[in-house]
Amino acid sequence: IKADEIETFVRLVQKNMECWDSRFLDYLSDLCISNDVAIPVTQELICKSVLSESNSNILIQTRLTPCLTQIEEEGDLQVINSVQEVTLSWNDGEEQRSLEVLASKVQKGDCE
């Protein structure tokens, strides 16, 4: 398989992101292995394509965001407890959700 064929699959992943159609991503995954043996050349081509700046919009960015800070008095000391949550963003940052919110929706069967 060649780089231009990988690029075709990556473009199909981009094109089908709105409807969460993962079959093209599954095809890319299938191209990485043959008879339970990794194909390093293909894996490298896929990584270079997916991780290139021009295709960065298909990746989900993960970051820690502060969500709660508590200050408690313990005797003469003040204890500051800071809580962060994992936030996922996609579509070039236009969409974002906390991992906790996404997990809760999935658990309730609410798949957006």
Side-chain angles (χ1 to χ4, degrees):
I1 191 154
K2 295 185 173 54
D4 58 335
E5 295 165 319
I6 298 294
E7 285 297 323
T8 299
F9 279 108
V10 171
R11 280 193 300 278
L12 288 167
V13 169
Q14 288 174 322
K15 196 175 189 179
N16 290 281
M17 283 175 48
E18 285 296 315
C19 61
W20 294 101
D21 186 354
S22 66
R23 66 186 161 146
F24 300 108
L25 199 54
D26 293 339
Y27 294 155
L28 282 172
S29 175
D30 291 343
L31 292 174
C32 291
I33 297 173
S34 177
N35 295 324
D36 292 327
V37 177
I39 306 171
V41 173
T42 304
Q43 291 174 340
E44 185 175 350
L45 287 172
I46 291 170
C47 285
K48 283 181 178 180
S49 177
V50 170
L51 298 176
S52 73
E53 187 65 33
S54 62
N55 293 323
S56 65
N57 66 326
I58 66 173
L59 301 175
I60 296 176
Q61 296 179 347
T62 307
R63 67 178 174 274
L64 287 173
T65 55
C67 67
L68 178 65
T69 301
Q70 295 178 338
I71 300 175
E72 298 177 6
E73 303 272 335
E74 289 187 9
D76 293 338
L77 299 174
Q78 282 189 338
V79 177
I80 300 174
N81 294 320
S82 186
V83 177
Q84 295 182 323
E85 66 182 4
V86 175
T87 303
L88 306 177
S89 62
W90 58 96
N91 289 348
D92 291 325
E94 292 179 24
E95 302 275 345
Q96 71 177 25
R97 306 279 188 289
S98 76
L99 191 57
E100 185 177 350
V101 167
L102 287 172
S104 174
K105 287 181 178 235
V106 168
Q107 190 174 34
K108 293 176 185 174
D110 179 12
C111 298
E112 34 179 286

